[in-house]
Amino acid sequence: ILSGGTSTDDSITIHWNNPSPPYSVSVSYTDSNGCVPLVPTGMNVTVQPFITPVINGVNSLCKGITSIYSVQAGNTNYLWTYPGATLVSGGTTNDSTITLSWGTAGTKTITVNYTGPGGCTSNPPTSKSIVIRPDPIPAFTGPDTSCNSSTHIYTTDPGMTGYNWSISAGGTINSGQGSNSVSVTWTSLGSQFVDVNYIDLNGCPTNNPPPYNVTVIPLPTPSVF
């Protein structure tokens, strides 16, 4: 009993703690003529159970990748919140699923609430934390200055998959495409670059990573005196 329900109250406020079919409420009183009912008046109260939303979906994913999240179907008035995310599909008041993507890395949160068949709504809403992993940035080893027509080895992070090397027009990849190390011969002077894309151990692809800049200098010309 939250309030009322005393011998002077014509109303009562009750909080039902557990679902059980049914509870009951009854009342008796003395009327203005001093009469009391032979039997108190009662009513049965059915307390509906509420199924708390359970959010299904991955706990981490790569930045920019879409993912589907879902809760129990068959309810109404779904209310989704997803700060910082881009809504791809779903997520309306009629949807038990939602497809999202995040453009920034970090720990994000989605929440959902709904109205169950008994007209009950959870309080507070259910939440789920998702870790958004950043794009990997390849590291490079190899000379950043090269003599013209020289050949060098350039290496990036080991243990990844899908290595795809590219270089500027002033060089040639001799070998190593598909691995974490390539042999490059520089054939043009000036500013050149080496670049690589791969998929890291979390399944995240590089996304326009910065290139490794190389300056190609001319060969010396000996003078004979």
Side-chain angles (χ1 to χ4, degrees), residues 140-148 150-154 165-168 170-171 184-195 211-217:
F140 294 94
T141 59
D144 59 3
T145 301
S146 172
C147 297
N148 192 24
S150 294
T151 298
H152 300 285
I153 301 298
Y154 293 90
W165 291 85
S166 60
I167 63 173
S168 53
V184 175
T185 299
W186 298 110
T187 56
S188 296
L189 300 178
S191 297
Q192 309 295 335
F193 68 83
V194 179
D195 198 1
Y212 185 67
N213 295 316
V214 178
T215 301
V216 180
I217 58 178

Side-chain angles (χ1 to χ4, degrees), residues 8-225:
T8 59
D9 290 313
D10 63 355
S11 65
I12 188 171
T13 302
I14 300 173
H15 176 85
W16 301 105
N17 295 314
N18 297 294
S20 179
Y23 291 107
S24 64
V25 180
S26 63
V27 64
S28 181
Y29 57 71
T30 302
D31 69 8
S32 58
N33 296 312
C35 299
V36 178
L38 294 176
V39 178
T41 299
M43 65 178 294
N44 292 328
V45 178
T46 299
V47 180
Q48 300 283 356
F50 181 78
I51 300 175
T52 300
V54 176
I55 303 176
N56 300 302
V58 297
N59 296 321
S60 65
L61 69 156
C62 306
K63 181 169 72 72
I65 303 299
T66 61
S67 183
I68 299 174
Y69 295 91
S70 65
V71 293
Q72 298 92 325
N75 300 289
T76 60
N77 298 321
Y78 292 92
L79 179 61
W80 294 90
T81 66
Y82 39 91
T86 298
L87 176 65
V88 178
S89 63
T92 73
T93 55
N94 298 318
D95 290 314
S96 62
T97 64
I98 190 170
T99 302
L100 300 170
S101 70
W102 282 267
T104 58
T107 300
K108 313 296 182 178
T109 301
I110 60 175
T111 69
V112 67
N113 208 343
Y114 57 62
T115 301
C120 304
T121 303
S122 63
N123 185 22
T126 295
S127 65
K128 182 180 181 70
S129 295
I130 302 102
V131 176
I132 307 302
R133 302 187 183 280
D135 295 332
I137 300 176
F140 294 94
T141 59
D144 59 3
T145 301
S146 172
C147 297
N148 192 24
S149 300
S150 294
T151 298
H152 300 285
I153 301 298
Y154 293 90
T155 302
T156 189
D157 310 291
M160 311 302 175
T161 59
Y163 292 100
N164 184 22
W165 291 85
S166 60
I167 63 173
S168 53
T172 301
I173 296 176
N174 303 310
S175 62
Q177 185 65 274
S179 70
N180 76 309
S181 183
V182 290
S183 169
V184 175
T185 299
W186 298 110
T187 56
S188 296
L189 300 178
S191 297
Q192 309 295 335
F193 68 83
V194 179
D195 198 1
V196 68
N197 285 278
Y198 58 65
I199 299 173
D200 72 4
L201 299 177
N202 295 312
C204 300
T206 55
N207 183 21
N208 298 318
Y212 185 67
N213 295 316
V214 178
T215 301
V216 180
I217 58 178
L219 296 174
T221 303
S223 297
V224 178
F225 297 95

